């Protein structure tokens, strides 16, 4: 029997379009997943029970970018430069993270996603690196979304280094928040020249396949094979997890 392609659940935001509240997601997330061999399914906001049922149907969870995380979700007070927040989205994604980790479903987190993931797992966040850190470089570029505008250094021996094929690369950048203290069970695997954390990953990939990046690789997969490999590795992990699930269900 031909193996089914893995189902990748992608979280989304909301946007008012013509007076209607609409589920909203940049199309590049879905095209990048499809290019890597996955079947994308968009996951809007929902209560915990529905979120758990969604996760159970998925072989991988992709936490997409978007607005700031509500700091109250992780016991912090709002910074004056905090942008738009959607607490209901935060809660849905935190529920998905909890269930995915419990069920060993691979997680790939992008931009906002790295921050929500780190907060959900017990880490802390900068709400505005320009005010809370000194001598930071530009992290919200004015250039095209597929243009790399700053370099990152990558930890040798990390999964990210294996995927990229180097200990350094250049990335695009669209954020003002960032990971501060990394969550338990996760480790820092990339930083910008100013020390801002650009990637974290699981300390134990045998149990939990979790990779999170601060930039937007989905907007670079058409121009960068390195960024495309982030999705192919993730989809491959989801495919392997789907195979294990099928083996258990048929035994």
């Amino acid at each position: 029997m031909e193996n089914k392609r893995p189902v990748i659940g992608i979280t989304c935001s909301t946007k008012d379009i013509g007076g209607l509240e609409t589920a909203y997601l940049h199309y590049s997330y879905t095209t990048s997943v499809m290019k890597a061999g996955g079947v994308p399914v968009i996951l809007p906001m929902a209560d915990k029970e529905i979120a758990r049922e969604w996760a159970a149907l998925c072989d991988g969870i992709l936490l997409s970018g978007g607005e700031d995380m509500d700091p109250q979700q992780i016991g912090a007070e709002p910074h004056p430069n905090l942008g738009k927040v959607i607490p209901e989205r935060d809660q849905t994604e935190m529920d998905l993270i909890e269930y995915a980790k419990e069920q060993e479903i691979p997680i790939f987190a992008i931009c906002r996603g790295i921050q929500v993931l780190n907060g959900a797992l017990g880490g802390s966040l900068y709400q505005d690196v320009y005010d809370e850190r000194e001598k930071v470089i530009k992290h919200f570029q004015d250039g095209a979304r597929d243009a790399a505008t700053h370099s990152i250094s990558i930890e040798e021996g990390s999964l990210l280094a294996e995927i990229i094929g180097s200990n350094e690369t250049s990335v695009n950048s669209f954020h003002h928040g960032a990971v501060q203290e990394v969550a338990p069970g996760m480790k820092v695997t990339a930083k910008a020249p100013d020390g801002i954390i650009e990637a974290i990953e699981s300390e134990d990939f045998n149990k939990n396949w979790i990779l999170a990046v601060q930039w937007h690789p989905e907007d670079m997969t058409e121009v960068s094979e390195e960024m495309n490999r982030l999705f192919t590795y993730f989809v491959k992990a989801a495919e392997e997890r789907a195979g294990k699930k099928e083996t258990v269900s048929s035994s």
Side-chain angles (χ1 to χ4, degrees), residues 45-46 48 67-79 82 84-98 112 115-125 127:
M45 293 176 288
K48 187 166 188 172
E67 55 288 319
D68 292 345
M69 183 182 191
D70 184 352
Q72 294 182 96
Q73 298 278 13
I74 55 173
E77 296 298 333
H79 186 280
L82 180 70
K84 177 184 178 181
V85 298
I86 305 178
E88 296 85 358
R89 179 181 180 185
D90 296 336
Q91 190 59 57
T92 296
E93 292 184 337
M94 291 171 75
D95 291 338
L96 287 168
I97 291 165
E98 178 185 6
R112 162 195 160 85
Q115 296 172 36
V116 175
L117 175 75
N118 192 62
L121 297 181
S124 62
L125 303 174
Q127 296 178 48

Side-chain angles (χ1 to χ4, degrees), residues 116-154:
V116 175
L117 175 75
N118 192 62
L121 297 181
S124 62
L125 303 174
Y126 291 115
Q127 296 178 48
D128 186 72
V129 295
Y130 301 110
D131 185 68
E132 297 178 80
R133 287 282 297 263
E134 295 182 351
K135 299 180 179 178
V136 295
I137 63 172
K138 187 176 181 67
H139 284 275
F140 204 107
Q141 70 191 54
D142 296 313
R145 291 192 68 89
D146 64 356
T149 58
H150 75 73
S151 62
I152 62 170
S153 57
I154 303 172

Side-chain angles (χ1 to χ4, degrees), residues 4 19 54 142 198 215:
K4 292 182 179 179
W54 275 338
D142 296 313
E198 290 284 335
W215 66 94

Side-chain angles (χ1 to χ4, degrees), residues 34-56:
M34 288 188 287
K35 184 179 179 181
V39 177
V41 175
I42 299 174
L43 307 179
M45 293 176 288
D47 61 29
K48 187 166 188 172
E49 182 178 347
I50 294 296
R52 288 177 69 90
E53 290 189 23
W54 275 338

